[in-house]
Amino acid sequence: MARKPNASLLDAGDRFPALELTLTDGASLTLPADLRHPYGVVLVNRGAWCPFCVAQLRAFQSGLARLAEEGIGVVSLSADARDQASAMVEEHRLEFPVAFGASLDAIAGRLGVYYDPHPTHAPPHLQSAGFVLGPGGTVLLAVYSSGAIGRLVWQDVLGLVKYLKSHA
């Protein structure tokens, strides 16, 4: 497992760095500028080969309507090849933007996520991380994992945003 030596972890109050992503449908997305909702969730996942990642993405899909009702959008990214990411989107009927081909070095450097450039039993990948963004792209919460488990769940994101709105 690796982390970029000079990469900083994002924390509450930080501005989420600009990321240029390519989506499985061929469109481009710039985070956080292109987020369509006031609040956003950015899920960094290990790839379509990871059952824990697929379970998280499927769970966010199941809560997508409730999240949208509160003004929360979801975006996911991985280092997967386009065909792998597209097949996962189709198989699990994911309706939120899913980016592929994310650079291990660039994402690890910009977001501070752990990554594994030379794994023995999987393709090179980013470790899971999740970011809840507020209006304007400010980080409200960052969750980093150095392995397969330890990630955001949609119900907690929904509860956090409702709490923050009620105390604004």
Side-chain angles (χ1 to χ4, degrees):
M1 207 56 46
R3 277 199 68 244
K4 289 288 194 186
N6 297 324
S8 297
L9 297 176
L10 295 176
D11 200 358
D14 290 345
R15 172 99 172 120
F16 193 83
L19 297 178
E20 298 286 331
L21 303 173
T22 304
L23 304 178
T24 56
D25 66 4
S28 295
L29 180 76
T30 301
L31 292 179
D34 291 343
L35 292 174
R36 296 177 292 177
H37 295 85
Y39 294 87
V41 177
V42 179
L43 301 171
V44 178
N45 73 78
R46 300 168 78 206
W49 56 269
C50 173
F52 299 102
C53 297
V54 171
Q56 180 189 37
L57 297 178
R58 289 178 63 196
F60 268 87
Q61 177 60 44
S62 74
L64 199 58
R66 299 242 343 253
L67 292 167
E69 288 171 5
E70 286 297 323
I72 306 166
V74 179
V75 175
S76 178
L77 65 103
S78 75
D80 274 350
R82 184 177 191 168
D83 60 333
Q84 296 162 323
S86 295
M88 179 188 66
V89 167
E90 185 177 326
E91 178 181 352
H92 302 292
R93 297 183 179 109
L94 302 179
E95 298 171 5
F96 51 85
V98 175
F100 69 93
S103 163
L104 297 180
D105 286 336
I107 299 300
R110 306 289 307 277
L111 303 182
V113 300
Y114 293 92
Y115 66 107
D116 200 342
H118 307 292
T120 56
H121 301 301
H125 58 274
L126 299 158
Q127 293 294 355
S128 69
F131 304 92
V132 180
L133 308 182
T138 301
V139 175
L140 301 176
L141 178 77
V143 174
Y144 292 91
S145 178
S146 60
I149 61 172
R151 45 187 80 230
L152 287 174
V153 296
W154 74 267
Q155 295 93 334
D156 288 348
V157 171
L158 182 65
L160 173 66
V161 170
K162 283 182 171 184
Y163 174 84
L164 293 172
K165 286 176 160 184
S166 73
H167 289 80

